[in-house]
Amino acid sequence: MRFTSEQRLDDGLLEREFTLDEIPGILWTPASAPASPPAPLILLGHPPLGLRKMYPRLVARARHSAAAGFATATIELPGSGDRPRWPAVEQARADLRRAMKAGEPVSHEIVDALILPLVDKAVPEWQAALDALLSLPEIGGPVGYSGGVISIGIRLATVEPRISAAVLFAGSFVPRALFEEARQVTVPLHVLLQWDDEGNNRQAALDLFDAFGSKEKSLHAHLGGHTGVPQSAGDAATQFFIRHLK
């Protein structure tokens, strides 16, 4: 891990950009660090739109988490932002858009081609980032995962023992194979669902929640579209992490 920039935001939050094997990322630590004990870490997932485009939403989540004493970090997803293009996934994304525009059902083949390669590549990168982040003296466990592509969250919660709890956002297509992996998830889960999300299959989201193997899991559904998540939902997610990471 190599830090490439550092700035103190107006509320004291320390923001550091880094690269890890040419993968860009951002780490935010609370104003109290490093004087306080090592901060628990939340990995901030995001859709594959690029860190620059997602930055306003990510830094808002980082500020909210820092107020509760958490460090947060994120990395650029494969094929996004300044990372090399990924023609196969871009073709699958085009096929998805074409099917949705035509009002056709999105086939399992399209979903698999779009999501499975992303999960297979992104999850080891998140684990490598976690190795590097936990080596920093100001960062400690336990670790949570929040948001982003829900299939990445499923795989991470299944294979990464350092993930102690997860907040998942229902709202992306999930391959059939990931439903089976969801049955192996045992960490506490807090799942957010926008009831009127035009890009989400509500019944599939409910079926996925039912599939999770966690003994502690809660589903929080709110009226409104994909971007209409109320502030209270973020507050509840923070309280969930306080319970399980502190």
Side-chain angles (χ1 to χ4, degrees), residues 5-11 13-17 25-28 44-47 49-63 74 76:
S5 72
E6 177 178 315
Q7 64 171 328
R8 185 75 66 173
L9 304 185
D10 53 10
D11 56 357
L13 183 68
L14 179 62
E15 177 183 282
R16 285 175 284 176
E17 296 187 6
I26 309 174
L27 169 65
W28 293 275
L44 297 183
H46 54 89
L49 300 175
L51 285 184
R52 296 305 165 198
K53 185 171 184 178
M54 291 302 303
Y55 176 81
R57 288 159 63 181
L58 288 166
V59 73
R61 290 164 62 190
R63 290 180 190 272
T74 192
E76 188 73 85

Side-chain angles (χ1 to χ4, degrees), residues 100-207:
M100 295 183 70
K101 185 176 181 179
E104 300 171 353
V106 177
S107 70
H108 293 300
E109 290 74 19
I110 291 176
V111 174
D112 288 354
L114 178 64
I115 302 297
L116 289 178
L118 179 63
V119 171
D120 289 343
K121 188 170 179 61
V123 167
E125 293 178 349
W126 276 109
Q127 291 180 292
L130 188 53
D131 290 340
L133 291 163
L134 289 178
S135 72
L136 300 173
E138 65 269 34
I139 306 296
V143 179
Y145 177 83
S146 177
V149 178
I150 195 170
S151 292
I152 292 176
I154 293 170
R155 175 70 60 80
L156 265 176
T158 303
V159 304
E160 179 47 72
R162 292 172 292 185
I163 300 292
S164 299
V167 171
L168 301 178
F169 297 174
S172 55
F173 294 98
V174 179
R176 290 165 294 180
L178 268 298
F179 273 77
E180 293 306 311
E181 291 189 32
R183 303 183 196 284
Q184 303 172 37
V185 174
T186 59
V187 300
L189 295 178
H190 180 103
V191 182
L192 297 175
L193 171 64
Q194 286 302 105
W195 200 249
D196 306 302
D197 189 340
E198 62 283 354
N200 186 37
N201 184 319
R202 183 194 302 164
Q203 188 57 54
L206 296 174
D207 292 342

